[in-house]
Amino acid sequence: MTVDSTEDLFVDGLKHAYYTEQRLVDALDELEQTSSSEELKSGFAEHREETQNHIDRLEEVFDQVDASAEGEEDPVVEGMIQAHEEFMDKDPSDEALDRFNIAAGQKSEHYEIAVYGNLIPMADQLGMDDVADTLEQNLREEQDELDSLSEMGEEFDYGELSVSE
Ligand SMILES: [Fe+2]
Ligand SMILES: [Fe+2]
């Protein structure tokens, strides 16, 4: 597919977003399963539910722009998943893994915020107000999740991970 118009660029971005959200459903499940803190586990489980809705909303958007809902492999999300696998291979302690998982979640939210933060102004420029509104709903949930993870990171109890003087 040749990308030579704002519409093409928008649909290309949408396909990457769709792929990313689908991969994140499994990734959030992995984050939940590998976390020990109950607060963290339930946070990831809740955002996994929201992520299912993000996929539904993207399908709505594909429909609104008359394009077929299909994903296009996104190397950024694959890289984040690989980073988690590589960290797991280091046999981390529960605390270390929880702290890593908070950071991993934050990175994916920052990425999604960047994705929607670009698709929304493109939709606005193309005069697609309904599409922009739908994408805004996803963006707001990514921002809320980022805030909640950032708070958990700031208040994290390092326990046995503390550095001895
Ligand atoms: Fe999402
Ligand atoms: Fe997210």
Side-chain angles (χ1 to χ4, degrees), residues 94-125:
D94 288 353
E95 286 95 345
L97 188 51
D98 274 4
R99 190 63 190 87
F100 183 91
N101 285 349
I102 291 172
Q106 282 176 307
K107 286 173 192 172
S108 76
E109 297 316 320
H110 273 288
Y111 182 52
E112 289 181 283
I113 288 166
V115 167
Y116 291 120
N118 282 283
L119 286 174
I120 292 165
M122 261 192 264
D124 282 335
Q125 278 158 356

Short mmCIF file of all heavy atoms in Angstrom, two decimals, residues 94-125:
data_model
loop_
_atom_site.label_atom_id
_atom_site.label_comp_id
_atom_site.label_asym_id
_atom_site.label_seq_id
_atom_site.Cartn_x
_atom_site.Cartn_y
_atom_site.Cartn_z
N ASP A 94 10.35 -11.29 43.54
CA ASP A 94 8.99 -10.76 43.40
C ASP A 94 8.96 -9.24 43.35
O ASP A 94 8.28 -8.63 42.54
CB ASP A 94 8.11 -11.24 44.56
CG ASP A 94 7.78 -12.73 44.44
OD1 ASP A 94 8.12 -13.33 43.40
OD2 ASP A 94 7.20 -13.28 45.40
N GLU A 95 9.73 -8.62 44.28
CA GLU A 95 9.75 -7.14 44.33
C GLU A 95 10.34 -6.55 43.05
O GLU A 95 9.83 -5.57 42.52
CB GLU A 95 10.58 -6.62 45.52
CG GLU A 95 9.93 -6.76 46.87
CD GLU A 95 10.38 -8.02 47.58
OE1 GLU A 95 10.96 -8.91 46.91
OE2 GLU A 95 10.16 -8.12 48.79
N ALA A 96 11.44 -7.17 42.60
CA ALA A 96 12.09 -6.64 41.39
C ALA A 96 11.15 -6.76 40.19
O ALA A 96 11.04 -5.84 39.38
CB ALA A 96 13.39 -7.40 41.12
N LEU A 97 10.43 -7.88 40.12
CA LEU A 97 9.53 -8.09 38.99
C LEU A 97 8.34 -7.13 39.06
O LEU A 97 7.91 -6.58 38.04
CB LEU A 97 9.08 -9.56 38.96
CG LEU A 97 8.27 -10.00 37.74
CD1 LEU A 97 8.95 -9.61 36.42
CD2 LEU A 97 8.05 -11.51 37.78
N ASP A 98 7.81 -6.92 40.25
CA ASP A 98 6.70 -5.96 40.39
C ASP A 98 7.13 -4.57 39.91
O ASP A 98 6.42 -3.89 39.17
CB ASP A 98 6.23 -5.85 41.85
CG ASP A 98 5.19 -6.92 42.19
OD1 ASP A 98 4.90 -7.78 41.33
OD2 ASP A 98 4.67 -6.89 43.33
N ARG A 99 8.34 -4.17 40.34
CA ARG A 99 8.81 -2.83 39.97
C ARG A 99 9.06 -2.76 38.47
O ARG A 99 8.77 -1.74 37.83
CB ARG A 99 10.09 -2.48 40.76
CG ARG A 99 10.51 -1.02 40.61
CD ARG A 99 9.44 -0.10 41.17
NE ARG A 99 9.67 1.31 40.87
CZ ARG A 99 9.25 1.92 39.76
NH1 ARG A 99 8.61 1.23 38.82
NH2 ARG A 99 9.48 3.20 39.58
N PHE A 100 9.58 -3.84 37.89
CA PHE A 100 9.80 -3.88 36.44
C PHE A 100 8.46 -3.80 35.72
O PHE A 100 8.33 -3.09 34.71
CB PHE A 100 10.52 -5.19 36.06
CG PHE A 100 10.85 -5.26 34.58
CD1 PHE A 100 12.06 -4.79 34.10
CD2 PHE A 100 9.93 -5.79 33.67
CE1 PHE A 100 12.35 -4.84 32.73
CE2 PHE A 100 10.21 -5.84 32.31
CZ PHE A 100 11.43 -5.36 31.85
N ASN A 101 7.46 -4.53 36.24
CA ASN A 101 6.15 -4.56 35.58
C ASN A 101 5.47 -3.19 35.58
O ASN A 101 4.78 -2.83 34.63
CB ASN A 101 5.25 -5.61 36.22
CG ASN A 101 5.65 -7.02 35.82
OD1 ASN A 101 6.46 -7.21 34.91
ND2 ASN A 101 5.08 -8.03 36.48
N ILE A 102 5.65 -2.44 36.68
CA ILE A 102 5.09 -1.08 36.72
C ILE A 102 5.72 -0.26 35.58
O ILE A 102 5.01 0.40 34.81
CB ILE A 102 5.37 -0.40 38.09
CG1 ILE A 102 4.56 -1.08 39.20
CG2 ILE A 102 5.07 1.09 38.02
CD1 ILE A 102 4.91 -0.62 40.61
N ALA A 103 7.03 -0.35 35.46
CA ALA A 103 7.73 0.42 34.41
C ALA A 103 7.29 -0.05 33.02
O ALA A 103 7.08 0.76 32.12
CB ALA A 103 9.24 0.27 34.58
N ALA A 104 7.13 -1.37 32.87
CA ALA A 104 6.72 -1.91 31.56
C ALA A 104 5.33 -1.39 31.19
O ALA A 104 5.09 -1.00 30.04
CB ALA A 104 6.73 -3.45 31.61
N GLY A 105 4.43 -1.37 32.19
CA GLY A 105 3.08 -0.85 31.95
C GLY A 105 3.13 0.63 31.57
O GLY A 105 2.48 1.06 30.62
N GLN A 106 3.96 1.38 32.29
CA GLN A 106 4.07 2.82 32.00
C GLN A 106 4.58 3.05 30.58
O GLN A 106 4.07 3.92 29.87
CB GLN A 106 5.05 3.48 32.98
CG GLN A 106 4.46 3.73 34.35
CD GLN A 106 5.50 4.30 35.29
OE1 GLN A 106 6.58 3.74 35.45
NE2 GLN A 106 5.20 5.42 35.90
N LYS A 107 5.57 2.26 30.17
CA LYS A 107 6.12 2.43 28.82
C LYS A 107 5.05 2.18 27.76
O LYS A 107 4.95 2.91 26.78
CB LYS A 107 7.31 1.48 28.59
CG LYS A 107 8.55 1.93 29.33
CD LYS A 107 9.66 0.88 29.22
CE LYS A 107 10.77 1.19 30.20
NZ LYS A 107 11.77 0.11 30.26
N SER A 108 4.23 1.14 27.97
CA SER A 108 3.21 0.86 26.96
C SER A 108 2.16 1.97 26.95
O SER A 108 1.67 2.35 25.88
CB SER A 108 2.60 -0.52 27.14
OG SER A 108 1.70 -0.52 28.21
N GLU A 109 1.82 2.53 28.11
CA GLU A 109 0.84 3.63 28.13
C GLU A 109 1.41 4.87 27.45
O GLU A 109 0.71 5.53 26.69
CB GLU A 109 0.40 3.97 29.57
CG GLU A 109 -0.32 2.84 30.30
CD GLU A 109 -1.35 2.11 29.47
OE1 GLU A 109 -2.09 2.76 28.70
OE2 GLU A 109 -1.42 0.88 29.57
N HIS A 110 2.69 5.16 27.70
CA HIS A 110 3.30 6.31 27.02
C HIS A 110 3.23 6.11 25.51
O HIS A 110 2.97 7.05 24.76
CB HIS A 110 4.76 6.47 27.46
CG HIS A 110 4.92 7.31 28.69
ND1 HIS A 110 4.73 8.67 28.69
CD2 HIS A 110 5.25 6.98 29.96
CE1 HIS A 110 4.95 9.14 29.91
NE2 HIS A 110 5.25 8.13 30.70
N TYR A 111 3.49 4.89 25.08
CA TYR A 111 3.46 4.62 23.64
C TYR A 111 2.05 4.81 23.08
O TYR A 111 1.86 5.48 22.06
CB TYR A 111 3.99 3.20 23.36
CG TYR A 111 4.01 2.89 21.88
CD1 TYR A 111 4.65 3.76 20.99
CD2 TYR A 111 3.39 1.75 21.37
CE1 TYR A 111 4.66 3.49 19.62
CE2 TYR A 111 3.40 1.48 20.01
CZ TYR A 111 4.04 2.35 19.14
OH TYR A 111 4.04 2.09 17.79
N GLU A 112 1.06 4.24 23.78
CA GLU A 112 -0.33 4.37 23.31
C GLU A 112 -0.76 5.85 23.29
O GLU A 112 -1.47 6.29 22.38
CB GLU A 112 -1.27 3.57 24.20
CG GLU A 112 -1.12 2.07 24.04
CD GLU A 112 -2.10 1.35 24.93
OE1 GLU A 112 -1.83 1.26 26.15
OE2 GLU A 112 -3.13 0.90 24.42
N ILE A 113 -0.32 6.59 24.30
CA ILE A 113 -0.67 8.02 24.36
C ILE A 113 -0.07 8.74 23.14
O ILE A 113 -0.72 9.58 22.52
CB ILE A 113 -0.20 8.63 25.71
CG1 ILE A 113 -1.11 8.12 26.84
CG2 ILE A 113 -0.21 10.16 25.65
CD1 ILE A 113 -0.58 8.36 28.25
N ALA A 114 1.15 8.36 22.78
CA ALA A 114 1.77 8.97 21.59
C ALA A 114 1.00 8.58 20.32
O ALA A 114 0.78 9.41 19.44
CB ALA A 114 3.23 8.53 21.48
N VAL A 115 0.56 7.32 20.26
CA VAL A 115 -0.19 6.84 19.09
C VAL A 115 -1.50 7.63 18.94
O VAL A 115 -1.78 8.21 17.89
CB VAL A 115 -0.46 5.32 19.20
CG1 VAL A 115 -1.50 4.87 18.19
CG2 VAL A 115 0.84 4.53 19.03
N TYR A 116 -2.29 7.68 20.03
CA TYR A 116 -3.58 8.38 19.95
C TYR A 116 -3.38 9.89 19.87
O TYR A 116 -4.16 10.59 19.23
CB TYR A 116 -4.49 8.01 21.14
CG TYR A 116 -4.95 6.58 21.05
CD1 TYR A 116 -4.67 5.65 22.05
CD2 TYR A 116 -5.66 6.14 19.93
CE1 TYR A 116 -5.08 4.33 21.94
CE2 TYR A 116 -6.07 4.82 19.81
CZ TYR A 116 -5.77 3.92 20.81
OH TYR A 116 -6.16 2.61 20.70
N GLY A 117 -2.32 10.37 20.50
CA GLY A 117 -2.02 11.80 20.47
C GLY A 117 -1.69 12.28 19.06
O GLY A 117 -1.70 13.49 18.79
N ASN A 118 -1.38 11.35 18.16
CA ASN A 118 -1.15 11.71 16.76
C ASN A 118 -2.34 11.41 15.87
O ASN A 118 -2.61 12.14 14.92
CB ASN A 118 0.10 11.00 16.23
CG ASN A 118 1.35 11.71 16.74
OD1 ASN A 118 1.71 12.76 16.23
ND2 ASN A 118 1.97 11.17 17.77
N LEU A 119 -3.04 10.32 16.16
CA LEU A 119 -4.21 9.97 15.33
C LEU A 119 -5.34 11.00 15.51
O LEU A 119 -6.03 11.34 14.54
CB LEU A 119 -4.74 8.58 15.69
CG LEU A 119 -3.90 7.39 15.20
CD1 LEU A 119 -4.47 6.08 15.75
CD2 LEU A 119 -3.87 7.33 13.67
N ILE A 120 -5.51 11.50 16.74
CA ILE A 120 -6.63 12.42 17.01
C ILE A 120 -6.49 13.74 16.21
O ILE A 120 -7.43 14.12 15.51
CB ILE A 120 -6.80 12.65 18.54
CG1 ILE A 120 -7.28 11.35 19.18
CG2 ILE A 120 -7.77 13.79 18.82
CD1 ILE A 120 -7.15 11.30 20.70
N PRO A 121 -5.33 14.41 16.27
CA PRO A 121 -5.23 15.63 15.45
C PRO A 121 -5.36 15.37 13.95
O PRO A 121 -5.87 16.20 13.21
CB PRO A 121 -3.86 16.22 15.81
CG PRO A 121 -3.17 15.22 16.65
CD PRO A 121 -4.17 14.26 17.18
N MET A 122 -4.92 14.17 13.51
CA MET A 122 -5.08 13.84 12.08
C MET A 122 -6.57 13.71 11.74
O MET A 122 -7.02 14.21 10.71
CB MET A 122 -4.38 12.51 11.76
CG MET A 122 -3.00 12.69 11.15
SD MET A 122 -2.39 11.13 10.48
CE MET A 122 -1.40 10.57 11.83
N ALA A 123 -7.32 13.03 12.64
CA ALA A 123 -8.77 12.89 12.42
C ALA A 123 -9.42 14.27 12.41
O ALA A 123 -10.28 14.55 11.57
CB ALA A 123 -9.38 12.01 13.51
N ASP A 124 -8.98 15.15 13.31
CA ASP A 124 -9.52 16.52 13.35
C ASP A 124 -9.26 17.23 12.03
O ASP A 124 -10.14 17.87 11.46
CB ASP A 124 -8.86 17.33 14.48
CG ASP A 124 -9.45 16.98 15.85
OD1 ASP A 124 -10.62 16.53 15.89
OD2 ASP A 124 -8.74 17.16 16.86
N GLN A 125 -8.02 17.12 11.53
CA GLN A 125 -7.66 17.80 10.29
C GLN A 125 -8.45 17.27 9.10
O GLN A 125 -8.71 17.99 8.13
CB GLN A 125 -6.16 17.67 10.03
CG GLN A 125 -5.37 18.71 10.82
CD GLN A 125 -3.92 18.33 11.05
OE1 GLN A 125 -3.49 17.24 10.68
NE2 GLN A 125 -3.18 19.22 11.67
#
